[in-house]
Amino acid sequence: MTYRTVQRLAAAATPEELFTGQWQNRTSVLDECKPYLDDCWNQGCTNAWKLWEEIVPLGYRGSYGRVRAYLHKKRTWPRLVTARPPSPRAVAGWILRRPESLAEAETLQLKTVRAHCPELDALTRHVRRRWFGTCPWTRP
């Protein structure tokens, strides 16, 4: 390093002071498309090639590599920790057990699963009516 570089580094009061130069706050051809890419990313579309194909007709003149690099940064950002969805085995167990034998947490999870999937809701109603209901063909 040169003397001036060392002097500039030593004189900086905060790290943000060092982030100045020719590459900072520079515009990119991708800047106009970033809101669209962010919206698509938040909706679950993470395929860089598909997104590049979508923004080219919108006027994007840059390369695919630039789009890929922008999305790669999003992939490496820390993500929010969310609860894992229940396994199919666990859901099947909740459906096939008597409702009164389920723990409170299991009941809430099954209620959430049923709210998000109408097919599982219909299946649960059918199983409970058939096995645990008052139908003449009820299981002994």
Side-chain angles (χ1 to χ4, degrees):
M1 281 191 244
T2 65
Y3 174 75
R4 284 187 181 262
T5 304
V6 173
Q7 197 173 30
R8 185 174 60 87
L9 293 174
T14 63
E16 287 77 22
E17 289 180 24
L18 301 175
F19 298 136
T20 59
Q22 64 177 347
W23 302 110
Q24 299 301 319
N25 301 324
R26 190 170 179 182
T27 60
S28 165
V29 293
L30 191 60
D31 285 344
E32 293 176 7
C33 299
K34 283 182 180 179
Y36 178 79
L37 292 174
D38 292 339
D39 288 342
C40 290
W41 180 271
N42 292 334
Q43 292 174 5
C45 182
T46 60
N47 186 331
W49 185 262
K50 183 179 179 198
L51 290 173
W52 178 74
E53 286 179 335
E54 288 179 12
I55 63 174
V56 166
L58 299 176
Y60 175 67
R61 297 179 317 273
S63 67
Y64 160 73
R66 190 175 303 256
V67 174
R68 186 185 67 205
Y70 178 70
L71 295 178
H72 179 71
K73 288 179 187 174
K74 291 180 128 347
R75 283 188 181 94
T76 57
W77 287 348
R79 297 182 185 195
L80 295 174
V81 177
T82 58
R84 291 180 54 193
S87 69
R89 175 178 269 182
V91 174
W94 299 334
I95 292 172
L96 295 174
R97 283 191 286 175
R98 290 189 174 276
E100 58 271 6
S101 70
L102 294 173
E104 186 177 340
E106 293 171 335
T107 304
L108 290 174
Q109 286 180 312
L110 180 59
K111 191 175 189 178
T112 304
V113 168
R114 289 177 68 183
H116 285 88
C117 183
E119 292 84 4
L120 285 176
D121 183 45
L123 175 70
T124 304
R125 281 184 280 129
H126 174 74
V127 167
R128 289 188 173 171
R129 203 177 29 222
R130 171 98 181 197
W131 285 15
F132 310 125
T134 57
C135 296
W137 57 83
T138 305
R139 205 170 142 202

